[in-house]
Amino acid sequence: CDWTRCRGCQGTACITCQQEQDVACCVDRECRGCSGESCGRCRADKLDTCCRGADGAVGACRGRDTTTTTPPPIIDLPRCDWTRCRGCQGTACITCQQEQDVACCLDRECRGCSGESCGRCRADKLDTCCRGADGAVGACRGRDTTTTTPPPIIDLPRCDWTRCR
């Protein structure tokens, strides 16, 4: 999901904003390709799964079981774990989460590599993984991060974060 629309938020409002978009993206991903009435049923059926790990402040997840912190896997790709960023505030949250996003992107892009090829792959993919990241993200300093839309993960739908401003 693209969290750029949550920039400027502070504290727990950032986490809630991002989790709301994560839940929406998860439901979109889980119900990709549906149409008509089956979409409504699919979205309702998948909401419990997509709310796992979300904070109780996430509107779509209120009253649902959110006890696990590990969301369901996406086509067996590595998941980013932003739990170490909980409790951060303001731009420190955005930087922390973007650092995790860059690390996950590198893991995803170089999945299955070994030895020297991993180092080369990670160096080659750093520009791609830094797209849209803030200049405060250590691994991305001095790189072109002008685009605000990270590369899609296996052509999954992008989330709309406009309601988080």
Side-chain angles (χ1 to χ4, degrees):
C1 291
D2 181 3
W3 291 357
T4 56
R5 302 218 171 127
C6 290
R7 284 190 180 162
C9 61
Q10 295 182 3
T12 57
C14 280
I15 292 169
T16 301
C17 177
Q18 293 158 349
Q19 287 182 356
E20 284 176 345
Q21 294 309 309
D22 286 345
V23 167
C25 285
C26 175
V27 170
D28 289 345
R29 183 175 53 247
E30 293 291 320
C31 297
R32 186 174 181 209
C34 69
S35 64
E37 219 174 281
S38 68
C39 257
R41 281 192 306 273
C42 178
R43 295 178 81 74
D45 291 346
K46 297 298 181 180
L47 203 51
D48 281 335
T49 301
C50 292
C51 283
R52 287 192 191 133
D55 188 88
V58 175
C61 300
R62 287 192 186 115
R64 296 183 182 276
D65 181 11
T66 62
T67 55
T68 183
T69 58
T70 306
I74 305 171
I75 314 172
D76 196 29
L77 292 175
R79 299 287 300 178
C80 293
D81 180 8
W82 297 286
T83 55
R84 77 173 224 183
C85 300
R86 290 191 188 228
C88 61
Q89 294 184 4
T91 57
C93 273
I94 303 294
T95 301
C96 179
Q97 291 156 347
Q98 287 182 358
E99 284 173 345
Q100 295 303 306
D101 287 343
V102 169
C104 286
C105 176
L106 290 171
D107 290 345
R108 182 178 62 245
E109 293 291 321
C110 299
R111 187 172 182 214
C113 69
S114 64
E116 284 184 35
S117 68
C118 275
R120 281 192 304 274
C121 178
R122 294 177 81 78
D124 291 346
K125 298 296 182 179
L126 196 54
D127 283 336
T128 299
C129 291
C130 284
R131 284 192 199 134
D134 190 271
V137 175
C140 301
R141 286 192 186 114
R143 298 191 175 275
D144 180 14
T145 62
T146 53
T147 182
T148 57
T149 305
I153 303 171
I154 310 179
D155 195 28
L156 295 175
R158 303 299 302 173
C159 292
D160 178 12
W161 289 56
T162 54
R163 64 189 180 121
C164 296
R165 288 184 183 228

